Amino acid sequence: MSKKEWKSIAISRNWGEISDELTTDYLNRVLTYADDMHKFYFNHVKRKRDWSIAMRIGSVFLFAVALILALTITFTDDEDEFLVLTINVGALVFASLFLLIDRQFGLSEGWMRYIQAQFEIEKVISEYQAQFISIKLPEDSDEDLRKLQIDTILNLDKSLRTIIIDETSNWSTNLRNQITALTNKVDSELSSARQKLKQSQTNIKIKKEEEERVKREKEIERESAAAKGVLAIIFNFKKIQSGQFTINSKSFELHKMQDSKVISDLDQGIYTFIGTIVLEVCEIPIDRVVKISGGINELTVGNNT
């Protein structure tokens, strides 16, 4: 787009015959004000429009990138999937950020509001120029030309200031709304973050307590295991066929050619070992008293004869 230089739209016009110097000065001041405001909007329209277009083009481009990545992720290798997902999320985040900047700083809305104000100023100037130059009194009229011109200039001044006031009021209203919306959003996110932090702290506390509980249980198990005893019974008999035994309330059997038995998880104390061993030629009764202490306890029954 070629650069366009600003040109006067008010004071450069021909306003016809003016009644006196005071009226001329009044008109020049109003027209200068009109030109100054028109030039202000002219310069700021371009600035806001350029930034708005840049933000929106960047946002559309990044949304397109995110869409393409979302469509191609199914054809991506497993080792590259995480990278593609990261780029996809990053593109969406920056696209949303560009739109947020455009909205919070009123770029798109601002340049449209400014260009509307430009057009309204041009319209008012054209209308009041036509009114001003059309003021002609017959020679026998009792009306005062100076008064009619001053009234027209005053109405022009009021119309110009109404345009500026309305535009400024819209700007301040939008700014307040944007600040309120942003504040509410920040407060909401802050409240949510605090709740998540509190929940995270609670979860960490619960996890720590659970780890401590498991640790204590393991320590208790180790202490309990160390406090309990294991009885290893060795049978010094040849050609054992079978056997049945009880140690207090615990019962077990001895199978053919089995010459040992291990009994675990016994509390420390005195036990009665009663049973019968069946050999090829005879049965041998067993009645022994065993003291169980922590660790491994050995009991030898019979001999090798």
Side-chain angles (χ1 to χ4, degrees):
M1 184 180 293
S2 60
K3 291 185 178 180
K4 183 180 178 182
E5 296 294 333
W6 176 83
K7 293 182 179 180
S8 170
I9 53 95
I11 204 167
S12 61
R13 294 174 182 246
N14 185 359
W15 291 80
E17 182 181 354
I18 304 175
S19 60
D20 55 42
E21 291 184 1
L22 287 177
T23 305
T24 301
D25 180 69
Y26 183 24
L27 177 62
N28 286 337
R29 288 179 183 277
V30 172
L31 297 181
T32 300
Y33 174 74
D35 275 345
D36 289 343
M37 297 312 301
H38 187 271
K39 184 177 181 180
F40 170 84
Y41 288 124
F42 178 87
N43 293 333
H44 284 75
V45 159
K46 183 179 184 305
R47 187 181 307 170
K48 283 184 175 289
R49 182 176 56 218
D50 291 346
W51 276 106
S52 172
I53 292 173
M55 292 293 104
R56 291 187 175 274
I57 289 177
S59 178
V60 170
F61 173 76
L62 290 172
F63 272 125
V65 170
L67 180 60
I68 293 172
L69 290 175
L71 294 175
T72 59
I73 195 170
T74 54
F75 308 103
T76 306
D77 296 335
D78 292 340
E79 57 270 18
D80 297 329
E81 184 174 346
F82 178 76
L83 176 61
V84 173
L85 285 172
T86 302
I87 297 174
N88 182 41
V89 173
L92 289 174
V93 169
F94 279 102
S96 301
L97 179 61
F98 287 163
L99 290 178
L100 179 63
I101 291 173
D102 177 71
R103 182 178 180 184
Q104 290 298 322
F105 288 92
L107 300 177
S108 296
E109 185 179 358
W111 80 263
M112 289 186 289
R113 194 175 64 247
Y114 281 6
I115 202 168
Q116 181 180 354
Q118 271 188 265
F119 292 152
E120 289 180 357
I121 291 173
E122 293 170 4
K123 176 175 175 290
V124 166
I125 291 296
S126 296
E127 290 176 349
Y128 278 94
Q129 182 193 21
Q131 292 182 26
F132 193 86
I133 62 179
S134 65
I135 300 175
K136 291 183 179 180
L137 299 178
E139 293 181 0
D140 58 347
S141 175
D142 294 333
E143 291 188 86
D144 186 357
L145 176 62
R146 181 172 182 271
K147 182 178 184 305
L148 291 175
Q149 288 185 339
I150 289 177
D151 288 343
T152 303
I153 297 171
L154 177 61
N155 291 332
L156 170 61
D157 193 13
K158 289 180 179 178
S159 297
L160 288 171
R161 295 183 187 279
T162 298
I163 294 172
I164 307 305
I165 290 172
D166 289 345
E167 190 281 322
T168 305
S169 177
N170 290 333
W171 169 79
S172 61
T173 299
N174 291 334
L175 180 61
R176 283 196 300 268
N177 292 338
Q178 293 296 341
I179 292 175
T180 300
L182 180 61
T183 301
N184 293 337
K185 182 66 175 177
V186 171
D187 289 343
S188 175
E189 292 296 328
L190 183 59
S191 177
S192 177
R194 286 174 177 169
Q195 291 179 356
K196 290 180 180 179
L197 178 60
K198 186 176 180 180
Q199 183 62 42
S200 177
Q201 291 174 338
T202 302
N203 292 338
I204 292 173
K205 183 179 179 181
I206 293 174
K207 183 179 179 181
K208 187 175 181 180
E209 290 176 350
E210 180 66 18
E211 290 176 350
E212 291 292 333
R213 185 186 64 80
V214 172
K215 184 178 178 180
R216 286 196 303 268
E217 288 180 352
K218 289 182 178 180
E219 290 177 354
I220 292 173
E221 289 179 358
R222 285 195 297 267
E223 292 174 357
S224 177
K228 292 183 178 293
V230 176
L231 178 62
I233 307 173
I234 301 172
F235 298 95
N236 281 336
F237 294 99
K238 294 181 179 180
K239 299 180 180 180
I240 296 175
Q241 300 299 309
S242 64
Q244 292 185 344
F245 303 92
T246 60
I247 297 181
N248 287 9
S249 59
K250 293 181 179 292
S251 301
F252 66 92
E253 294 183 355
L254 200 63
H255 302 292
K256 187 174 182 179
M257 304 304 293
Q258 184 178 356
D259 60 0
S260 63
K261 183 71 176 180
V262 176
I263 303 172
S264 60
D265 200 29
L266 295 174
D267 294 329
Q268 298 185 36
I270 306 297
Y271 289 80
T272 302
F273 177 47
I274 300 174
T276 302
I277 295 178
V278 179
L279 304 177
E280 282 187 347
V281 296
C282 64
E283 294 183 1
I284 301 176
I286 304 294
D287 188 353
R288 300 279 297 272
V289 175
V290 181
K291 181 179 180 181
I292 301 298
S293 58
I296 299 175
N297 300 269
E298 291 187 0
L299 173 64
T300 302
V301 179
N303 51 52
N304 291 325
T305 58

